[in-house]
């Protein structure tokens, strides 16, 4: 049995959403992860709790509040509509923003843990050579923590693949635009089309397992070779 065209389209949207969201998170979250790893500010625990909130917050709750913010009734949605003439609600762009927030802790926390264990000697040596902060990150921090970036990217990507509640609240179920694979699976179950549901569920199960195996095999090999991740 082959996947029908609408399911292939939902699969493409899901992969595109996961790739874009994860890529953007890997670009914008390292400064936050670095600050969380080294800051001694009294309000750091509050920021850390906000970052970790999507881990325990029901996805529909997060999606509901984001839907309100994206609507023209509130300032963020009003500003976007005034600037672009469109709304973030029920759009692919809105899905990207929602997915980034929903997967934020899965990317930030591995980076934060890696940055926290990074030795200061190499950074101090680079500073004495006159390297700027950007050069120190590019030539010292990133090479020493690149495996954590891989781990963060894989976790963020895998987490985004299985999104349901957040994307359904923000994007609805618009075929070809906001319908992701998890929503397509739900539709098949509602229609009692269990053959198609099995096809999509099996695909998601195999993909998720493959990603996790890649992560844990890589971690195990690095521990055996170096004694740490």
């Amino acid at each position: 049995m082959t996947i029908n065209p609408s399911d292939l389209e939902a699969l493409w949207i899901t992969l595109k959403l996961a790739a874009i969201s994860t890529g953007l998170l890997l670009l914008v979250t390292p400064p936050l992860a670095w600050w969380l790893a080294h800051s001694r500010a009294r309000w750091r625990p509050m920021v850390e709790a906000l970052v970790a909130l999507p881990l325990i917050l029901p996805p529909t709750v997060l999606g509901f509040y984001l839907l309100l913010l994206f609507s023209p009734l509130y300032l963020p949605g009003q500003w976007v509509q005034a600037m672009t003439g469109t709304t973030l609600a029920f759009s692919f762009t809105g899905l990207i923003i929602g997915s980034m927030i929903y997967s934020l802790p899965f990317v930030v926390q591995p980076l934060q843990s890696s940055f926290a264990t990074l030795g200061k000697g190499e950074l101090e040596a680079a500073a004495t050579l006159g390297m700027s902060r950007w050069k120190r990150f590019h030539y010292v921090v990133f090479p020493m923590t690149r495996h954590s970036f891989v781990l963060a990217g894989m976790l963020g990507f895998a987490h985004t693949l299985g999104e349901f509640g957040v994307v359904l609240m923000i994007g609805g179920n618009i075929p070809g635009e906001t319908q992701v694979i998890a929503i397509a699976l739900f539709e098949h179950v509602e229609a009692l089309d269990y053959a198609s549901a099995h096809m999509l569920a099996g695909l998601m199960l195999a993909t998720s397992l493959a990603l996790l195996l890649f992560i844990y095999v890589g971690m195990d090999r690095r521990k055996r070779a170096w004694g740490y991740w």
Side-chain angles (χ1 to χ4, degrees):
M1 182 178 179
T2 59
I3 302 178
N4 63 57
S6 62
D7 288 342
L8 284 175
E9 195 168 32
L11 177 61
W12 165 244
I13 292 173
T14 304
L15 294 174
K16 183 170 65 171
L17 176 64
I20 294 175
S21 300
T22 304
L24 290 175
L25 281 172
L26 288 174
L27 287 175
V28 303
T29 57
L32 173 60
W34 183 269
W35 183 85
L36 290 173
H38 296 96
S39 175
R40 296 183 179 179
R42 296 180 62 182
W43 42 280
R44 183 186 65 82
M46 182 61 183
V47 177
E48 202 164 16
L50 289 174
V51 169
L53 191 60
L55 290 173
I56 61 173
L57 191 68
T60 50
V61 174
L62 177 61
F64 171 70
Y65 283 113
L66 288 176
L67 179 62
L68 293 181
L69 289 176
F70 291 168
S71 74
L73 299 177
Y74 293 86
L75 186 60
Q78 291 175 357
W79 181 80
V80 171
Q81 189 175 40
M83 294 292 294
T84 66
T86 60
T87 62
L88 290 174
F90 307 109
S91 70
F92 186 75
T93 303
L95 289 189
I96 293 175
I97 297 173
S99 297
M100 289 178 66
I101 296 173
Y102 184 53
S103 296
L104 183 66
F106 290 86
V107 177
V108 170
Q109 290 183 353
L111 297 179
Q112 178 185 347
S113 298
S114 181
F115 292 160
T117 59
L118 192 64
K120 294 183 179 180
E122 294 85 354
L123 292 174
E124 291 173 352
T128 60
L129 294 175
M131 286 188 177
S132 64
R133 289 185 177 181
W134 164 248
K135 286 186 176 180
R136 275 178 273 169
F137 177 83
H138 182 70
Y139 292 108
V140 180
V141 175
F142 179 73
M144 295 180 68
T145 60
R146 63 184 183 277
H147 292 88
S148 295
F149 277 84
V150 174
L151 173 61
M154 296 294 287
L155 288 175
F157 186 87
H159 188 244
T160 305
L161 288 180
E163 286 184 4
F164 179 80
V166 171
V167 296
L168 184 61
M169 294 294 288
I170 297 174
N173 184 20
I174 306 174
E177 186 172 351
T178 63
Q179 187 187 65
V180 296
I181 199 73
I183 297 177
L185 169 60
F186 181 74
E187 274 198 340
H188 288 315
V189 174
E190 278 195 319
L192 303 180
D193 184 3
Y194 293 127
S196 297
H198 275 302
M199 178 73 69
L200 297 185
L203 178 62
M204 293 180 68
L205 176 61
T207 303
S208 300
L209 182 59
L211 289 171
L212 288 174
L213 280 174
F214 180 85
I215 291 171
Y216 285 112
V217 169
M219 291 175 63
D220 184 66
R221 287 180 177 176
R222 184 160 178 82
K223 285 179 180 179
R224 291 175 182 272
W226 302 99
Y228 64 92
W229 166 247

